[in-house]
Amino acid sequence: MKDKDYLKDILEIKSIMNKSSRFISLSGLSGILAGVYALIGAITANYLLSNYQVANSAIGLIPISFLEFILIGIAGLVLLLSVVSAFILSSKKAKKSGEKLWDTTSKRLLINFSIPLFTGGAFTIILYQYGLIGLIAPSTLIFYGLACINASKYTLGDIRYLGLLNIIIGLISTQFIGYGLYFWAFGFGILHIVYGIVLYNKYDKK
């Protein structure tokens, strides 16, 4: 009987230590929404790219720089909506579970996630500068995957698998230049939706 009590106490201590060292208010719904936003953005971008030559023939020359500006705007909007959704839903989850959204753990999570992410952003700008457009989608997937793995130490461990899959998809897409948008839609869209559903069923329903 005492052994069972000791085991129970150890499990409770482990649970408390885990909660104090990890940000566990990450919402599965925010992952689903991020995936939906990414798919809508990818479909819109694909439509614009597919109809670029048609539009040029019909109404005259449309500068490629204008199209690139629109595509960057779509990517920025997807990112903004994803961040806002994650903040709102994670805030609600943290409030419901009686936890703080912004503390030492969440700061560590943000810092460890941001370093690879912003490094990837800077590298993407360099690729664009040198006209290596075909490597932009693979690079964003790889660096995002590294950001997820780096941040997984301070949040739900499941995010590590999302990161690994995005890195794998990013590396594979380097061998299929010209199809980057499809890999990007799969990595940021489909995988996020699947990850969000798993996270929601595993943690949010409790």
Side-chain angles (χ1 to χ4, degrees), residues 12 16 31 38 46 56 61 64 68 79 84-85 99-102 117-118 131 142 146 156 163 170 177 187 189 193 203:
E12 286 180 357
I16 292 170
N46 185 60
N56 272 342
L61 184 64
I64 187 65
E68 290 171 351
L79 177 62
V84 171
S85 297
E99 297 171 356
K100 291 182 179 180
L101 179 67
W102 189 246
L117 196 68
F118 282 107
I142 291 169
L146 290 172
L156 303 172
I177 300 299
I193 292 173
Y203 301 103

Side-chain angles (χ1 to χ4, degrees), residues 98-174:
E99 297 171 356
K100 291 182 179 180
L101 179 67
W102 189 246
D103 56 14
T104 304
T105 306
S106 56
K107 288 177 185 177
R108 288 175 181 171
L109 168 62
L110 184 61
I111 291 170
N112 280 271
F113 183 74
S114 297
I115 292 173
L117 196 68
F118 282 107
T119 302
F123 185 68
T124 299
I125 292 172
I126 294 170
L127 291 175
Y128 178 78
Q129 178 185 355
Y130 287 100
L132 301 173
I133 309 297
L135 290 175
I136 288 179
S139 297
T140 55
L141 287 165
I142 291 169
F143 278 99
Y144 177 72
L146 290 172
C148 288
I149 292 174
N150 204 42
S152 64
K153 301 187 293 291
Y154 301 100
T155 186
L156 303 172
D158 306 74
I159 197 174
R160 176 182 295 271
Y161 302 109
L162 177 66
L164 285 170
L165 288 172
N166 271 286
I167 290 173
I168 292 169
I169 292 169
L171 290 173
I172 292 173
S173 67
T174 61

